[in-house]
Structures are given as C-alpha cells and as structure tokens.
Amino acid sequence: MSVNQQAHTGPPYGQPQPGYQGYQQPAYGGQSLPGAPQQYGAYNGPMPGYQQPVPAQGSLRAPPTSGAPPPASGASHPSGPVAYSQFEHGDVQNGIPASAAPVQRPPASQPFLPGSAPTPVSQISTFQQYGPPPASVQQLRNHMAGMTIGSTAASAPPPAGLGYASVPPVSGSCSATGSGLYTPYSASQGPPPASVSQGLPLAQPPFPAQTIPTQRLPAQVPGFTPPPPSAGVGPSSYPPTTGAPRPPAMPGPPLPGQTVAGPPSSQPNHVSSPPPPSTMAGLHPGPPMSGLHGPPPPTHPPQPGYPMQQNGSFGQMRGPQPNYGGAYPGAPNYGSPPGPPPPPKRLDPDSIPSPQLNELPPQQKPRHRIDPDAIPSPIQVIEDDRNNRGSEPFVTGVRGQVPPLVTTNFLVKDQGNASPRYIRCTSYNIPCTSDMAKQSQVPLAAVIKPLATLPPDETLPYLVDHGESGPVRCNRCKAYMCPFMQFIEGGRRFQCCFCSCVTEVPPHYFQHLDHTGKRVDFYDRPELSLGSYEFLATVDYCKNNKFPIPPAFIFMIDVSYNAVKSGLVRLICEELKSLLDYLPREGNMEESAIRVGFVTYNKVLHFYNVKNSLAQPQMMVVSDVADMFVPLLDGFLVNVNESRTVITSLLDQIPEMFADTRETETVFAPVIQAGLEALKAAECAGKLFIFHTSLPIAEAPGKLKNRDDRKLVNTDKEKTLFQPQTSFYNNLAKDCVAQGCCVDLFLFPNQYLDVATLGVVPYQTGGSIYKYAYFQLETDQYRFLNDLRRDVQKEVGFDAVMRVRTSTGIRATDFFGAFYMSNTTDVEMAGLDCDKTITVEFKHDDKLSEDSGALLQCALLYTSCAGQRRLRIHNLSLNCCTQLADLYRNCETDTLINYLAKYAYRGVLSSPVKTVRDALINQCAQILACYRKNCASPSSAGQLILPECMKLLPVYLNCVLKSDVLQPGPEVTTDDRAYIRQLVTSMDVAETNVFFYPRLLPLTKADVDSDALPAAIRNSEERLSKGDIYLLENGLNIFVWVGVSVQQSLIQNLFGVSSFSQISNALSTLPVLENPFSKKVRSIVDVLQGQRSRYMKLIVVKQEDKLEMLFKHFLVEDKSLTGGASYVDFLCHMHKEIRQLLS
C-alpha cells in the first residue's frame, strides 16, 4: 500500500473505535505481578469507552481546530498524492501522510460513508482516515512541520504546517524555516476577531492534520500583573487585577482548577484566550452540551493498526492543507476565502487560560506551540504493544529477541533463554566493537531480578540435584552447565560457550549425542533445555563447609515516647500475634522452619526469653549499649508453634509495660549490633525487622546529629545530604553481610531522621526501607500493616552471592542495587527478596562476532527459607551487530530509563545535581544524534527524527529529570529524597516505568459491568475534565482526583456524601458502599495494589484544594512548579541539543 493512498479501513475519526472497549488484562497472565500496569488508553484517541459523540459538559480542553494554516491566497491544494522520499526500514516520520483525496469530517449525526463527496470549505477542518500500516514497512514517513530550533526566523515565512515565527528563541520555543506561503501574523494586522460562530455541524473535534499544530498565545495582558512564580494553583488563588469580574460557573470553563501549569519559558503564565467568555476555552461551539462527562476525544483516532508517528519524527509538512477553514483560531485571514472563525484551538499544557482573563482584550504577539497530540505518546505505544504482542506467548528459544513491554500482559515459555521477568536488557543486539558502542552511547546493561515472582500459569525453575558431585561446570571460567554448551567427541567432552575451554564430562553425566550433535537426554535435563533452573548446592558451596541452619527473624520495636503515644507499639504487637502464622516456608512444609526473637528498645535494649517451658516471658535489659552483647542464648530464638502461648503473652504485655514511658531518646546502631550478635550466636542467617521513630541522638555508637540543611540544595555541597554522616554504618553493614544478617527498616518519623545514614545498613544488606512520615493510626495503619505482612511473607534468599559471567568480548563492569561488594565480581547480599533487582553494566574488552552473539549467565548462590543451599542460574543469549541500525532497532526504552535513573541517582552522591542532570541530557542527545547521523535517511535539519523503539526516550527522560531526587520542590524533605534514591536503585523495570510516568485512569469511564480497567490517558492537566473523577498511581501513592463539577450521584455513590464540599480529604480508604460504581472503583484500586510491591497510600484530592498542588506534581507531561520543563518544551530542547551535536 502506498504511503500516500487513502485507505478506508478504519472507522472514521472520533467514532467509537471497535475493539478498544477496555479489555481485561490481569497483570501477567492473571497474576498480580508487581509493576505490571493494566491496559492503557488508545493513543491520544478518544478514550476507550468514550462512546457518545457529544462534546462533554465542562469538557476540559478546547477542541482542536485545524492545526494547519489556511492555504495562502492563490496556493492551490495539492491535487495528487504528495511524493514521499524513500525511507529505510524502521524509520518513520511523525504525523499523517497526505491523502490523495482528503476526506471531510461529516457532521456527527450523519453516518460516515467512505468516499462521500467533500463538504464545502466552510467546514472547520478535514480529517483523514487511515487503515492498517503497510505490513512490510513498520513505518509511515509523513512529513511533519519542520522544527528548526534556536534560529530566529521572524522574517522568514514559516513552513505551511508549523509557524514558530516571530518569537525569540527560548528553550522550548521553536522557529522554523521552510516552504510556507503565508506571512507571519504581526501586530499591525489588528486583534483577532472575538466572535465564534455557533451551530457548526461538529460534534467531535476535527482532526488537525498532524503537523505538530501550533498555538498562538498572547504575550502579556495589559494591566494584568503576573501571579507569583508558583502559579499552578487553582483559579481561586489570585484575584484578577483588572477588576474584571470572575465569570460565573458555566458549562465548560477551562481546565479545572488550573490557570496554567507553571510559567512557560517565553511568556507569562496568565494568558487570555481568543474566544469570548460565552464559549470559553473548554467549550465547542455547536450542538448543545449534554450527556458525557469527560475530556473531549483527543485528536488522533486510535485506529487499529494505524502507526501514528512511527518513529516520532517531526519533519517538513507538505503544502497547505485542503479545506482548512479560514485562518488560525482567531487570527485574521491570510488572503484565503473568509470562512467562519473556527472554535478555539486545543491548548497545550503550558498555555491554559485562566478564567478571569477571558474577558481581557486579546493580545498581539502570538507564540506558536506544538500540539501535544502530535508528539509520541506513552499511552499509544503501550496500547500498540498490548495489541500486537499481548495475545501470543513469548517463546524464549530465539537469540536476541526483544520481549514485549513490561506494561503488556503476556505469557512466557522458557525454551533456552531466561524469561524477561528475570532479566531485561537495554539492547538485545549489541555492537561488535567498543568503538561502535562508544559512538552510539547506548549503555549496555541488564536489569536482573533473580528471585522474581512468576504468574501462576508459568512454571517455577526446576530444582536439579546432581548428588554429591554437584553441578557440572567449566574447568576454567567455572560457568555452570547451560543450553549453550557444545558437546563434542561423541559427548565425552564439552566446549564452554563462555571461554571456549574444553572440559571432560564426568562419567555419571555422560550421554550419547543424536545426529544433530545434541545429547539424547536434552529435553530431560532443565540445564540443557531451559534458560532458568536451580541446582541443589553441595557442602562445598556452604559457609565453613557445613550446611546452613534455617534462618531466623528478629522483631525489634522502638518503645520510646513517640512510638507508644502514637499507638504504634500496640498496633505492631497485635499484628504480630497473627502474622507469625504466615512466616515463609518451602512448598509442601507443614510449618515454617524460621525461628523468631523479640527485642524492644529506647535508650537501652530489652531482650525477651520466650522459651516454651516458661509460664511467662522474661525480660533482660542491656544498658551498656557501647559494648553490645546478647544476654541469653537459649530461649531467645524459638519456634513459633512451640512457644505460642509465651509469645502471645509477651505481645500482650509490651504495650502495657511501656504505656507510661517518658523516654524520648533512642539508639539505633546498637539495635542492629544486638540482632547481628544473636544471629552469630545461633550460627544462622536471618532478618531484623526494626520499627524506628526518631533520630538516634542518645549516647551510643552510631549516634547522629541533625544536619538537615535545605540551604545546600542546588549548591556543590548538596551531595553531602545523600551521603551518610559517619562511616560507622558502612562497617556495621559489612559485618552484617558477612553473617547473612539482612535488615528491613520501618520508619515513622515526625521530623528529620537522616534516612541517608540510617538506610546504609538496610541498603547494603539487601534489605528494604519503608517510611510513614507523620504516622497516624487511623489513616496509615492499613498501609503499614499491608507492607509488614507482605514483607514478612515474601520469598527471600539469605546469605546470597551473585556473579554474572559473560562470553568473551564483554564483561560486567558496574553494578547498581541494594548489596555489598568486597571484590569486583561478586555481589553479596545478606538477603535478596523477590522484589529486588541488580542492574549490571557491560563493557567491551574485545571484539564480538555476529555469528556467535554474546551470552550472559547470572548465578545466584543462596540459602532458602528452609535452610537449603541452592544455586539459581539464568542464561540469556544476545545478538551482535556491525550496523548501528540493528542496535537501535532492538533497544528497550523502559530498561534504558531504569538504568539511566539508577546511574543518575548514584551520581548525586559524588557530583552536584546540576552536573548529573546535564550529563543525562547530553548522553540522550548523543544517543539520538548518533541515530540521526548514521541510521536515518537524509532529511532537513529541521526535523526531529527518533528511532522507533526510542521515541519515548525524551518524555521518560524528562520525567527522571523532574523527579524529586534531581529537582526537588520546596515541600520535598531531605529524607524523602534519600528514601526515593535508595528505593529506585533496586526497582525493577515495571516499577520505574509507573514511578516516573504514573498511570492516570478516568474512573468515570470505567465499565461497571466488565473486569477491565478504564483506558489510561496521558499525564497532563489538559486531559482532565472537571466533570470527572480520575485515579493516578505511581507505585507509592494512589490519588483520586475529583473535579468540581462531578455529578452529585457519582459523589454519593463513591464517597457516601451528598455534595463535593462534604468529601473528606482525610480518607485513606474508599468507603464500602453497595452500588456498582463504588464496587468497580474499589476493585480497580485492589487490582492496582496487587500489582505493586508496596501498599500505595490513597489520597483524595478535590479540584482547587490545597492538595491539588501535590497531585499536579505527578502530571509529568506538564511544566512543573519546580522549574521542570513540559514534555513539549523538553522535546524542543532535546532537538536543539541534537542539532548542536550534529553541526
């Protein structure tokens, strides 16, 4: 199919799209796997489930008018197909190809007939309809308006599609040169007309012709002083200075609760919009408003199989579009036949008009903007991957296959390579030489999650027992037997796939080969046919050459004044009574082999003897915290079932014993030392669960001082805030790792606690930190108890050592995660749980060959919760390439972002944050510039061309740059930043994906009769409608945002109150109400909670409420109040950087 020909296969734009009704996707094959987001909405298209083609009451964004300029007078419309240059495979320009005969948008009421006669020019805009893409060419190169960034082209006429003229260049403003035929709009032409004709036959927004359409913005409103820089606040936050009355609430005011999302770079953030107040920015002039509450359908249809902006390039647009009505919204005619002024153009995130300004006089100096719908959408990419790859199982038999995205729900069949649930790579085709790798700047890294939980319909790794001789290994490099080993000499020897050394096959392991050279027992042995499996380790793999004792759990509870007064101590003790029945156990064991012990502490430590022969527990106090020892051996660590009555008695007594305490000071390091000594005495590994509330200022080893200093932010000394204030804890962590003592820390701070220092031991021992700031029993207990239950019950490997071996040519050079390293190859963890990842970077040390590819083998030696010593092996084979295009075709952006975030978050320990941010931007610009230079077809420098599988790199990178660690707002504490920094460092790819680009679901669009989640929408305030309720989740929080105009019945059904004003901000769970909407929303929340490794805090946000500022922080495509760029502006900035590198 020619790129230009019109195909009448998809439904017309704006009609309900078949097959997008929001289908159910249980995370990963029916199981809630942490981090597997459910389905997302179609790309900028009408939200699935957006059935009625009627504009929304109170809909949020101004519907788009034609985003293209009018034809210049005398310029004829292109009559035939526009000639496109030939582009190589994998390279597609953004936007929509010109069709031979543009189809007109019919009025909403009339059925769409393909090929029906064009409607007259007075129509607002054309729309074009697309069928599936050409099968062979996974790319449509459509010429988009040229984006020349940085050069002032005020005098040159801008190209037909994109006028970025008459604006001084700023990062984020773009000027363009090209073949346009209309003159730039200038102040002398008079103000734009303020009338908007009513009654247009348009029920849905017309389709702007995919030039990244632009937006005119007034520069400064006379007599209006700009609000303070923190303007992202609701309309009520500052009074109109002009004395203009605030317009009454009417259907469809502009964006709910927002004037602008932070001041854009080149203009103040108080912009008046061209339409008069009677229609207001959010309203479509036309049929009466009724029905449907929610954003109008965004501009592009989610047509099945229609590859919007295949590789995200924005290039020159072809000539002026036929049948675009008159001029830009509200601009004078440029010599074209006068048509009725179109309705207001869809606004972009940086230019939302504030309600008070609607009546102010229009402005002269416009600024053109890119339409946010014309740039690559994460929602669309996720949706496409789901549709294309969600139905088939991912079979791992082929080398170098790129797996489906983490957001796609798919089944894995292991046929020789490890499942992507265990290992994901930044690229599955790696350069053959180091020069090529340096040239591309694409980091070669693998994110490894050795003990990942699998969904129920996938098989756990088989456990192989080779008896006393242990696993078969290569003599030289000690790699373990795997599917890539080559058997030779009739099966008597094998050649190592990693180092090529030949090793004798042990007699007991010998087996004949078939005619293809495979062993005849190939399918009977997991280590010969599967990518992941386990070996039972022999005594040689054990500490001190003796088999381990099952691990122990020690619960250490802070009983200082704060902990007792808040009700925390009583809560923990109550929960432990029942939780101890759920300690982890091996598959078919009757009861857990794990023993438990209890310690309470403030300035001194209290140990408890809970031996089963005692009638009452005994308490022993150690007040010499400078020289910690365990005062009892027998009776401290016990079997839960044997000592149940004594343990229950103890847990009843602890809250009473300390009920009247006045002790406010605590110690911390001696608590860890005590747990470590207890495990040493018992000669076992284990885990300490420490519940701690305050900065340890009492006289003791590891005593800390309050060094919190917000003045250091954005200075060269900022890095000290992330570093521990003493090396004491590093040494303590080293001792803990040597013993297999893992520390999980639950923090309940009311003020600065120095997470950067307290977190050192949990971090280096492979443990976790949980933080509940300003803990309040009624709102936070549910979240804390859920976290505690999951933490106690989850699968953990103790005393773990991991080594990654690679085939000749590359080697592992760098490691990120929660672990300790005493040498350059072994990653040591006192404990490794099913949620933790280790990220490994590889570098070349020789040439690789395309024929043999590259191999990784991750071997994890650990003790199971039953005390069994095991080896878990994961193997992965990758392709190697001599062409850069092959590298760029096989990258995985989500994994790349996971690596870059971890790299940056480690960088802040040693470099100023600004240096780290600049390095990130520079590296990504180099990656994209290398692609542009070496892989993309020649095209004008004004085009931004992105590789197909990296087209989301800019939007995701911008999210990392705007994160609290790299760009904190004033409300983000030093502790928050240290906590997030450590948390992200061991996150898997699915978790970083939703953490940096949160999932936003329109709850009011949810189908109460189906199990499916509503389709996600993009993270921007302009996507929100004040008549709707939305849910946003990022893995740590769930926000439920309620618009001011939500129907009373919905409020009643969800919150059980009769009006918006009665909704309480203090809700931490949604009330259980017996109606379909309440049940559906609660089930959505439960599904999301089940997918995440931590229980997310629920926060109800009412539009225009003070909490809305916090919510807006997560609308990551918008400009942030801390100065972070909007997605559109950042894309312009990246383009500028790339062009500088290329020139």
Side-chain angles (χ1 to χ4, degrees):
M1 151 180 172
S2 120
V3 176
N4 304 318
Q5 108 197 22
Q6 172 97 24
H8 296 289
T9 46
Y13 167 67
Q15 310 294 331
Q17 306 297 327
Y20 275 81
Q21 306 322 346
Y23 32 86
Q24 168 59 3
Q25 296 206 304
Y28 292 149
Q31 142 154 2
S32 47
L33 197 87
Q38 298 286 358
Q39 89 236 16
Y40 287 63
Y43 171 41
N44 320 325
M47 250 75 61
Y50 200 103
Q51 301 316 340
Q52 308 98 301
V54 203
Q57 173 112 6
S59 77
L60 216 88
R61 324 173 35 152
T65 59
S66 95
S73 58
S76 62
H77 304 320
S79 52
V82 182
Y84 275 74
S85 51
Q86 273 51 51
F87 296 113
E88 66 155 301
H89 179 65
D91 227 296
V92 182
Q93 310 279 89
N94 215 355
I96 294 182
S99 61
V103 185
Q104 299 310 321
R105 162 179 269 334
S109 59
Q110 128 200 354
F112 175 68
L113 303 172
S116 54
T119 38
V121 178
S122 65
Q123 191 85 1
I124 296 300
S125 151
T126 61
F127 85 109
Q128 292 161 325
Q129 167 203 13
Y130 287 87
S136 60
V137 194
Q138 201 4 260
Q139 76 224 40
L140 287 166
R141 230 212 228 239
N142 347 11
H143 277 6
M144 293 284 293
M147 216 159 96
T148 334
I149 306 203
S151 59
T152 36
S155 55
L162 246 182
Y164 290 111
S166 63
V167 197
V170 209
S171 121
S173 82
C174 314
S175 60
T177 52
S179 58
L181 295 165
Y182 70 91
T183 36
Y185 173 59
S186 70
S188 63
Q189 291 169 298
S195 69
V196 176
S197 68
Q198 295 290 332
L200 293 166
L202 274 177
Q204 300 103 316
F207 193 100
Q210 234 45 63
T211 52
I212 303 184
T214 59
Q215 171 69 35
R216 300 189 170 285
L217 292 182
Q220 171 84 39
V221 180
F224 185 81
T225 42
S230 66
V233 284
S236 51
S237 42
Y238 48 85
T241 29
T242 54
R246 186 163 169 195
M250 54 175 75
L255 241 136
Q258 152 165 355
T259 59
V260 289
S265 46
S266 75
Q267 93 248 4
N269 52 352
H270 43 280
V271 188
S272 70
S273 63
S278 62
T279 53
M280 290 192 89
L283 247 192
H284 217 309
M289 306 291 156
S290 67
L292 199 48
H293 293 265
T299 33
H300 311 321
Q303 242 115 342
Y306 146 74
M308 155 59 199
Q309 94 236 346
Q310 272 307 62
N311 69 349
S313 70
F314 321 116
Q316 305 300 104
M317 181 65 191
R318 53 204 176 280
Q321 288 303 299
N323 285 359
Y324 269 91
Y328 267 95
N333 291 324
Y334 295 103
S336 53
K345 170 80 188 70
R346 162 171 293 173
L347 298 175
D348 82 70
D350 288 348
S351 59
I352 309 303
S354 77
Q356 315 71 317
L357 298 175
N358 260 346
E359 298 162 272
L360 298 175
Q363 251 342 83
Q364 266 63 30
K365 280 191 186 166
R367 171 180 173 204
H368 299 304
R369 307 273 325 159
I370 299 170
D371 178 355
D373 280 334
I375 54 183
S377 155
I379 304 300
Q380 179 63 24
V381 170
I382 286 165
E383 189 62 48
D384 289 347
D385 193 77
R386 284 224 172 98
N387 294 337
N388 299 334
R389 307 197 63 180
S391 50
E392 292 294 307
F394 178 68
V395 180
T396 72
V398 184
R399 181 175 86 189
Q401 275 187 107
V402 182
L405 298 181
V406 285
T407 43
T408 297
N409 167 22
F410 60 99
L411 186 71
V412 180
K413 290 196 171 159
D414 185 342
Q415 291 191 1
N417 282 293
S419 159
R421 307 199 202 291
Y422 294 124
I423 306 183
R424 277 190 178 261
C425 295
T426 52
S427 178
Y428 288 80
N429 201 331
I430 60 182
C432 281
T433 64
S434 61
D435 290 348
M436 197 171 149
K438 283 196 189 88
Q439 186 185 357
S440 76
Q441 287 287 315
V442 175
L444 306 175
V447 179
I448 306 173
K449 194 175 184 182
L451 298 178
T453 312
L454 298 185
D457 44 4
E458 289 178 22
T459 319
L460 290 168
Y462 290 100
L463 181 60
V464 180
D465 184 358
H466 282 314
E468 288 185 8
S469 57
V472 178
R473 302 176 70 175
C474 165
N475 270 346
R476 183 200 286 160
C477 71
K478 300 291 184 240
Y480 294 86
M481 179 55 66
C482 72
F484 313 120
M485 298 290 191
Q486 190 69 43
F487 287 88
I488 53 176
E489 295 176 26
R492 286 190 294 280
R493 307 169 82 187
F494 68 91
Q495 182 169 25
C496 178
C497 51
F498 294 94
C499 69
S500 306
C501 171
V502 174
T503 302
E504 293 282 334
V505 173
H508 71 89
Y509 198 70
F510 173 77
Q511 187 52 273
H512 295 287
L513 308 183
D514 65 11
H515 64 285
T516 63
K518 267 185 182 170
R519 284 172 53 126
V520 294
D521 62 352
F522 174 79
Y523 289 107
D524 303 333
R525 291 192 175 274
E527 74 273 21
L528 299 181
S529 55
L530 298 177
S532 301
Y533 42 87
E534 292 197 309
F535 291 121
L536 204 53
T538 60
V539 75
D540 309 334
Y541 292 87
C542 303
K543 228 182 244 172
N544 308 326
N545 278 13
K546 57 183 192 189
F547 284 112
I549 296 171
F553 283 0
I554 304 177
F555 297 92
M556 317 185 90
I557 305 167
D558 173 348
V559 287
S560 63
Y561 177 74
N562 275 346
V564 174
K565 186 189 67 172
S566 66
L568 181 63
V569 174
R570 187 175 297 280
L571 182 69
I572 294 167
C573 291
E574 279 303 312
E575 177 61 27
L576 286 179
K577 287 184 207 170
S578 54
L579 187 54
L580 294 176
D581 287 333
Y582 297 97
L583 299 177
R585 54 184 156 202
E586 295 284 295
N588 49 9
M589 291 171 58
E590 290 282 310
E591 61 175 51
S592 174
I594 293 173
R595 289 164 302 155
V596 297
F598 302 90
V599 173
T600 55
Y601 67 93
N602 38 46
K603 264 196 338 195
V604 298
L605 277 76
H606 323 104
F607 293 79
Y608 297 93
N609 183 345
V610 282
K611 197 174 179 177
N612 58 354
S613 55
L614 296 173
Q616 282 293 322
Q618 294 173 346
M619 172 165 135
M620 300 186 183
V621 180
V622 176
S623 49
D624 182 6
V625 288
D627 183 19
M628 187 43 65
F629 66 99
V630 180
L632 73 162
L633 294 176
D634 192 27
F636 179 63
L637 294 178
V638 296
N639 173 293
V640 174
N641 284 339
E642 289 171 10
S643 298
R644 177 167 310 274
T645 50
V646 194
I647 291 173
T648 305
S649 169
L650 170 68
L651 295 172
D652 284 336
Q653 290 177 37
I654 287 175
E656 308 309 326
M657 274 193 283
F658 298 100
D660 302 324
T661 184
R662 284 282 165 266
E663 186 52 76
T664 54
E665 292 188 355
T666 57
V667 295
F668 184 69
V671 182
I672 297 174
Q673 287 171 326
L676 173 61
E677 291 303 323
L679 294 177
K680 270 187 188 164
E683 296 183 346
C684 69
K687 186 181 265 198
L688 312 182
F689 296 83
I690 302 180
F691 305 92
H692 189 77
T693 60
S694 58
L695 190 70
I697 52 173
E699 256 335 302
K703 171 187 174 182
L704 301 178
K705 60 179 193 293
N706 186 339
R707 53 160 188 165
D708 187 18
D709 187 356
R710 297 302 296 274
K711 291 199 285 293
L712 298 182
V713 175
N714 294 328
T715 68
D716 286 352
K717 288 194 177 153
E718 185 171 4
K719 58 183 180 236
T720 59
L721 297 175
F722 296 110
Q723 298 163 353
Q725 58 172 286
T726 156
S727 63
F728 182 87
Y729 288 95
N730 294 71
N731 298 326
L732 182 54
K734 186 175 164 183
D735 296 341
C736 286
V737 172
Q739 181 55 41
C741 169
C742 175
V743 177
D744 279 1
L745 182 56
F746 293 80
L747 295 172
F748 306 88
N750 289 332
Q751 56 206 17
Y752 178 71
L753 195 68
D754 204 345
V755 174
T757 307
L758 298 188
V760 167
V761 178
Y763 185 66
Q764 293 191 14
T765 58
S768 306
I769 305 175
Y770 297 85
K771 181 164 161 287
Y772 310 88
Y774 307 107
F775 177 82
Q776 287 181 312
L777 208 57
E778 55 281 3
T779 53
D780 296 317
Q781 66 167 336
Y782 198 61
R783 179 166 63 111
F784 160 58
L785 294 179
N786 273 283
D787 283 340
L788 177 59
R789 286 166 197 158
R790 191 166 188 283
D791 197 59
V792 167
Q793 294 172 40
K794 65 185 171 188
E795 182 187 356
V796 186
F798 292 94
D799 240 335
V801 182
M802 188 183 97
R803 182 177 285 195
V804 178
R805 293 179 173 82
T806 52
S807 53
T808 314
I810 53 170
R811 61 195 170 86
T813 55
D814 208 352
F815 300 85
F816 304 82
F819 52 75
Y820 173 77
M821 291 186 82
S822 55
N823 56 35
T824 56
T825 54
D826 294 334
V827 174
E828 300 174 48
M829 293 153 289
L832 172 68
D833 64 48
C834 55
D835 299 321
K836 295 281 188 304
T837 63
I838 294 95
T839 302
V840 185
E841 188 180 8
F842 303 97
K843 290 259 170 36
H844 287 75
D845 56 7
D846 204 346
K847 280 197 172 125
L848 294 163
S849 89
E850 282 189 282
D851 301 335
S852 54
L855 300 173
L856 317 176
Q857 183 179 78
C858 158
L860 175 77
L861 175 65
Y862 71 99
T863 300
S864 75
C865 57
Q868 203 175 47
R869 200 71 174 148
R870 294 181 179 179
L871 284 151
R872 180 168 289 202
I873 313 295
H874 298 298
N875 303 288
L876 187 62
S877 59
L878 303 172
N879 287 327
C880 298
C881 57
T882 52
Q883 299 297 317
L884 283 165
D886 291 326
L887 164 69
Y888 283 101
R889 211 172 276 134
N890 291 281
C891 287
E892 234 249 313
T893 300
D894 291 323
T895 312
L896 189 58
I897 287 293
N898 180 285
Y899 164 83
L900 290 171
K902 291 171 180 177
Y903 184 79
Y905 281 17
R906 184 176 68 184
V908 298
L909 290 171
S910 51
S911 310
V913 171
K914 184 179 186 314
T915 311
V916 173
R917 291 165 49 81
D918 292 346
L920 266 185
I921 294 173
N922 185 40
Q923 179 168 9
C924 287
Q926 284 185 310
I927 291 172
L928 298 174
C930 174
Y931 173 79
R932 174 66 191 262
K933 185 177 173 187
N934 300 289
C935 308
S937 318
S939 53
S940 88
Q943 284 179 310
L944 171 57
I945 300 180
L946 304 169
E948 172 55 24
C949 59
M950 282 191 189
K951 63 186 178 192
L952 298 181
L953 189 60
V955 62
Y956 286 164
L957 177 71
N958 190 33
C959 296
V960 174
L961 294 170
K962 294 203 288 190
S963 64
D964 290 339
V965 173
L966 298 182
Q967 194 163 35
E971 74 294 337
V972 181
T973 66
T974 306
D975 275 345
D976 287 335
R977 297 177 73 195
Y979 171 64
I980 295 296
R981 195 191 75 77
Q982 293 195 4
L983 194 59
V984 167
T985 306
S986 48
M987 272 186 185
D988 73 4
V989 180
E991 288 172 315
T992 50
N993 173 276
V994 78
F995 179 76
F996 289 115
Y997 192 93
R999 178 154 46 160
L1000 183 59
L1001 306 175
L1003 294 179
T1004 21
K1005 302 281 184 295
D1007 177 359
V1008 293
D1009 300 322
S1010 109
D1011 290 342
L1013 293 182
I1017 57 173
R1018 291 173 66 173
N1019 274 237
S1020 169
E1021 185 160 9
E1022 60 167 346
R1023 310 274 163 180
L1024 305 180
S1025 150
K1026 62 194 295 179
D1028 281 321
I1029 302 174
Y1030 297 85
L1031 179 150
L1032 181 142
E1033 63 124 355
N1034 72 340
L1036 295 182
N1037 299 304
I1038 288 182
F1039 292 92
V1040 175
W1041 183 91
V1042 187
V1044 288
S1045 313
V1046 171
Q1047 286 175 357
Q1048 234 171 322
S1049 60
L1050 283 176
I1051 291 176
Q1052 183 70 52
N1053 284 343
L1054 188 57
F1055 299 104
V1057 295
S1058 55
S1059 70
F1060 178 80
S1061 58
Q1062 290 173 310
I1063 299 172
S1064 162
N1065 283 354
L1067 289 175
S1068 57
T1069 52
L1070 293 171
V1072 178
L1073 303 171
E1074 285 304 313
N1075 66 71
F1077 185 59
S1078 172
K1079 285 178 183 166
K1080 177 64 184 175
V1081 172
R1082 283 181 288 115
S1083 85
I1084 290 173
V1085 170
D1086 291 344
V1087 166
L1088 300 182
Q1089 292 285 19
Q1091 289 171 11
R1092 305 287 169 233
S1093 59
R1094 292 171 179 242
Y1095 196 84
M1096 295 182 279
K1097 179 177 186 173
L1098 186 101
I1099 302 168
V1100 175
V1101 177
K1102 289 153 65 174
Q1103 185 182 354
E1104 297 175 18
D1105 189 67
K1106 57 183 185 297
L1107 266 176
E1108 201 183 21
M1109 301 292 279
L1110 179 61
F1111 171 75
K1112 285 180 186 174
H1113 176 65
F1114 296 100
L1115 298 175
V1116 290
E1117 288 196 23
D1118 297 345
K1119 199 175 186 70
S1120 71
L1121 296 175
T1122 52
S1126 69
Y1127 175 19
V1128 170
D1129 286 346
F1130 185 70
L1131 202 58
C1132 291
H1133 180 68
M1134 283 301 283
H1135 189 198
K1136 191 166 127 194
E1137 295 281 323
I1138 291 165
R1139 293 186 58 187
Q1140 280 176 347
L1141 289 170
L1142 292 175
S1143 61

